[in-house]
Amino acid sequence: MKNSTKNIILGVSSLTAVAATFGAVSYMMSNTLLNYALDRKIPTNMKINKSRLSGIKGFEDAYSQLSELSETFKKEIFEDVEIVSRDGIRLVGHWSECENAKRIIIAMHGWRSDWAHDFAAVSDFWHKNGCSVLYAEQRGQNNSGGDYMGFGLLERFDCLDWIDWVNERTMGFLPVYLGGISMGATTVLMAAGLDLPDNVCGIVADCGFTSPCDIWKHVVEKNLHLPYDFPKLMIEGNCRKKLNMGSGDYSAVDAMKVCKVPVLFIHGSADSFVPIEMTYENYLACVAPKRLLVVPGAEHAMSYYLDKEGYENSILSFWKEFDKK
């Protein structure tokens, strides 16, 4: 065999080995990241801390205060309730009834968070302004059932089940608002694409993303500084196995194009986890009456903490405009 031919064969073999190694590493990386995104149980080989994943820097004191507040909030008196979703998942919620209530809020928390952490700060404001609140525990997290989180793809249908519960509880006489933070915001935005009961008067979405595939791509590329496009097909295949849906099969943008209820969009301008551009995209796609509050300098889910007055005034105006008498 000639040396030139031998060198070519050796070069091709080396490239093949490199490609195989890269493919194996990409598969392992994508599989681990998807498991961390969707699985109830955090993978044992997952060594990325959440602060790196989110890209959030600073606000440590604020997040610490919220954690302390949430522990106190959990000790308040709630009625613990359970329902079974239309696909057979046990869902847990916490009902806080307000005397002479003017409206009802169904509150959906974010990814790998919980109802108390995400809503403890705003709960007093809701109560003082005549709101009974159903604090839902999202599927695949905490006390609710389910092996996977759906990034809104599955949870949007859970919103319908919770609406049915509160309407049965209150005879359907009161205005209902869907409210969510982060993944919870995307959940309620996606729910707007469904056939909602007439007494659902609006949606408040705080720092929601457009779709699972969009937020995964952003986090992997911008925060983890890893390639996303190469392992995307593997991620999609695994996603379909877990959720029976692809990460781009439905989006908040799709829902906003057919939305029939008013939406108040809220986002912090400094959000490094869910970029504010995603709320702008959702806002522009919304064909229903819409309002927008941007809080300068606010990191992810920190808008209420940084601009409490502006946040509350925006919600009060929203209720005043869209409550059905």
Side-chain angles (χ1 to χ4, degrees):
M1 182 182 295
K2 294 182 178 180
N3 287 337
S4 59
T5 303
K6 184 177 181 180
N7 289 337
I8 290 173
I9 293 173
L10 289 173
V12 170
S13 298
S14 297
L15 288 174
T16 302
V18 169
T21 301
F22 182 73
V25 171
S26 295
Y27 176 80
M28 290 174 62
M29 178 196 74
S30 63
N31 193 51
T32 299
L33 289 173
L34 184 75
N35 291 344
Y36 186 64
L38 299 182
D39 290 7
R40 172 188 289 275
K41 186 178 180 181
I42 296 176
T44 55
N45 60 339
M46 192 69 182
K47 297 181 180 179
I48 299 172
N49 64 48
K50 197 171 179 181
S51 61
R52 184 188 171 196
L53 199 73
S54 67
I56 296 173
K57 297 178 181 179
F59 286 83
E60 289 86 358
D61 289 343
Y63 285 111
S64 177
Q65 289 177 29
L66 287 178
S67 294
E68 292 177 7
L69 185 61
S70 70
E71 291 304 311
T72 302
F73 185 52
K74 287 179 181 178
K75 296 175 183 177
E76 294 185 13
I77 298 175
F78 299 93
E79 179 184 346
D80 297 332
V81 298
E82 291 186 11
I83 61 172
V84 177
S85 70
R86 56 200 59 207
D87 62 340
I89 301 297
R90 182 181 67 90
L91 301 176
V92 173
H94 308 276
W95 176 244
S96 175
E97 190 160 4
C98 180
E99 188 176 357
N100 300 317
K102 299 175 182 177
R103 66 191 67 83
I104 297 167
I105 295 171
I106 298 175
M108 309 296 284
H109 67 77
W111 175 76
R112 295 204 181 279
S113 187
D114 67 54
W115 60 282
H117 181 274
D118 285 358
F119 300 113
V122 75
S123 62
D124 281 346
F125 166 72
W126 284 343
H127 185 78
K128 290 175 182 177
N129 286 277
C131 301
S132 291
V133 184
L134 187 284
Y135 298 95
E137 297 203 30
Q138 296 260 46
R139 63 168 59 211
Q141 302 189 62
N142 306 307
N143 295 305
S144 282
D147 295 326
Y148 306 115
M149 294 166 273
F151 275 68
L153 296 173
L154 305 179
E155 293 86 350
R156 58 186 160 137
F157 300 106
D158 297 339
C159 288
L160 290 180
D161 295 323
W162 283 121
I163 293 169
D164 289 343
W165 184 88
V166 298
N167 278 343
E168 182 178 346
R169 177 63 177 257
T170 62
M171 306 298 291
F173 293 142
L174 292 173
V176 171
Y177 289 85
L178 304 180
I181 288 182
S182 193
M183 190 188 83
T186 300
T187 294
V188 297
L189 289 173
M190 287 187 179
L194 304 173
D195 188 16
L196 300 176
D198 290 340
N199 68 323
V200 176
C201 295
I203 288 170
V204 179
D206 186 338
C207 60
F209 49 84
T210 47
S211 69
C213 61
D214 289 343
I215 192 61
W216 294 350
K217 180 178 175 66
H218 168 78
V219 169
V220 170
E221 292 185 344
K222 300 299 182 182
N223 295 348
L224 299 180
H225 307 293
L226 295 169
Y228 182 80
D229 289 337
F230 181 80
K232 183 178 179 180
L233 289 177
M234 290 177 279
I235 291 173
E236 282 300 297
N238 288 335
C239 180
R240 288 187 182 278
K241 287 180 182 178
K242 293 176 184 290
L243 306 184
N244 294 317
M245 290 189 71
S247 66
D249 283 4
Y250 197 69
S251 70
V253 173
D254 293 331
M256 292 299 94
K257 290 178 180 178
V258 296
C259 180
K260 296 179 182 178
V261 297
V263 182
L264 170 59
F265 296 90
I266 301 171
H267 216 118
S269 67
D271 196 327
S272 51
F273 198 9
V274 178
I276 193 172
E277 288 77 15
M278 291 193 182
T279 277
Y280 289 147
E281 189 174 350
N282 288 330
Y283 176 84
L284 290 173
C286 183
V287 296
K290 53 192 176 183
R291 305 292 181 264
L292 175 65
L293 172 66
V294 174
V295 179
E299 249 292 2
H300 188 64
M302 284 286 103
S303 291
Y304 186 72
Y305 182 88
L306 211 62
D307 185 12
K308 182 177 179 179
E309 182 178 1
Y311 198 110
E312 292 181 353
N313 286 339
S314 293
I315 292 180
L316 289 171
S317 296
F318 192 67
W319 289 338
K320 183 177 181 180
E321 187 172 4
F322 297 112
D323 271 1
K324 291 179 181 177
K325 306 300 181 182

